[in-house]
Amino acid sequence: MGNSWLRRLSPSPGNGSHKVICFPHAGGSAISFGPLAKCIGSEYDVLAVQYPGRQDRRHEPLVGSISDLVDGLLPELIETVKDAESFSGFGHSMGSVVAFEACRRLEQEVGATARVLFASGRRAPSSTQPGTVHLLSDRELCEQLLSVGGTPPALLEDPEFREIILSITRNDYRAIETYECTTDAIVSCPIVAIAGDRDPDASLADIEAWSSHTSGSFFAKSFPGGHFFLDANCSPVGQLIRDQSSQALLS
């Protein structure tokens, strides 16, 4: 794959398949969307972004800002969507912001508009407040990761894996915690915002504020769970993606 940014998670799709491009959370990788890709279904062409510095891109330097991530990803993303009949974006946590900025750039630079932008587990871009998680000590950062879930405790107990995980996660938290967005930044595609009903960082009110960042339609829904509610709600979230994408394709 070299320094390629996208990984296909679905079986070989048929021509004309709707593409769903997934953007991982802080510290996450493309494979984290494997279960969701299965739930979305093989009739969709599901791809996921692989950020530098992890898994098969582990020897590449980490990227320290949201804008630089989008700059690096954009050329390959343009090539991917230009021949597609239609596509949607799905981001979780930090990935929601990367997806939003990527969709904005696609609209501005090549006139490619997503059918739907799915923003998961993340407050609206202009509601983002400066954070300090990236400044925590290693011990405190481990505690933070364990409290929100999504990281197997056994990996954090292994010194070698812990060092890798903390380096990547600290970098990504720095990127999202230093990200700034104006209230007038919008996309023209519909936005569907979702979150776990016990996520302290993305309440229903937090995700409803995404409505101000689209000139299209908006829908918000909560699911049972915390920040990583996707793990226990893969099937209904997959159904939501299919329903909303189909609805957008018909409109």
Side-chain angles (χ1 to χ4, degrees), residues 52-72:
R54 58 214 77 195
Q55 294 193 330
D56 55 342
R57 302 188 71 184
R58 63 188 178 276
H59 298 302
E60 298 177 48
L62 296 168
V63 177
S65 74
I66 300 299
S67 61
D68 286 346
L69 277 175
V70 177
D71 284 344

Side-chain angles (χ1 to χ4, degrees), residues 12-156:
S12 299
N15 292 331
S17 296
H18 180 73
K19 293 184 183 296
V20 179
I21 302 168
C22 302
F23 298 75
H25 60 278
S29 60
I31 198 61
S32 65
F33 288 109
L36 182 60
K38 292 181 180 179
C39 290
I40 294 172
S42 58
E43 66 271 28
Y44 288 80
D45 185 13
V46 184
L47 301 101
V49 176
Q50 187 77 297
Y51 304 136
R54 58 214 77 195
Q55 294 193 330
D56 55 342
R57 302 188 71 184
R58 63 188 178 276
H59 298 302
E60 298 177 48
L62 296 168
V63 177
S65 74
I66 300 299
S67 61
D68 286 346
L69 277 175
V70 177
D71 284 344
L73 165 66
L74 199 66
E76 189 171 337
L77 197 57
I78 290 172
E79 288 299 310
T80 298
V81 305
K82 73 175 185 180
D83 296 324
E85 291 188 10
S86 59
F87 71 96
S88 293
F90 183 99
H92 182 66
S93 195
M94 181 187 82
S96 295
V97 170
V98 181
F100 172 70
E101 293 294 348
C103 285
R104 285 181 67 201
R105 293 280 298 277
L106 286 171
E107 288 187 6
Q108 293 167 357
E109 298 189 17
V110 295
T113 302
R115 293 291 183 173
V116 187
L117 170 59
F118 296 91
S120 168
R122 184 72 194 174
R123 65 186 64 185
S126 59
S127 301
T128 299
Q129 300 172 346
T132 58
V133 172
H134 70 282
L135 300 175
L136 296 176
S137 67
D138 285 356
R139 178 185 59 79
E140 291 169 330
L141 185 53
C142 282
E143 292 173 353
Q144 168 73 14
L145 294 179
L146 292 173
S147 69
V148 299
T151 305
L155 291 182
L156 292 175

Side-chain angles (χ1 to χ4, degrees), residues 190-246:
I191 291 180
V192 174
I194 60 177
D197 59 8
R198 297 191 303 277
D199 187 342
D201 295 322
S203 68
L204 186 58
D206 288 331
I207 66 171
E208 285 177 340
W210 276 93
S211 62
S212 66
H213 290 283
T214 176
S215 60
S217 63
F218 176 76
F219 177 72
K221 180 178 177 62
S222 61
F223 289 86
H227 189 61
F228 287 97
F229 70 96
L230 290 176
D231 295 343
N233 294 276
C234 186
S235 182
V237 171
Q239 184 66 53
L240 176 72
I241 293 171
R242 291 195 301 273
D243 290 346
Q244 293 290 328
S245 296
S246 296

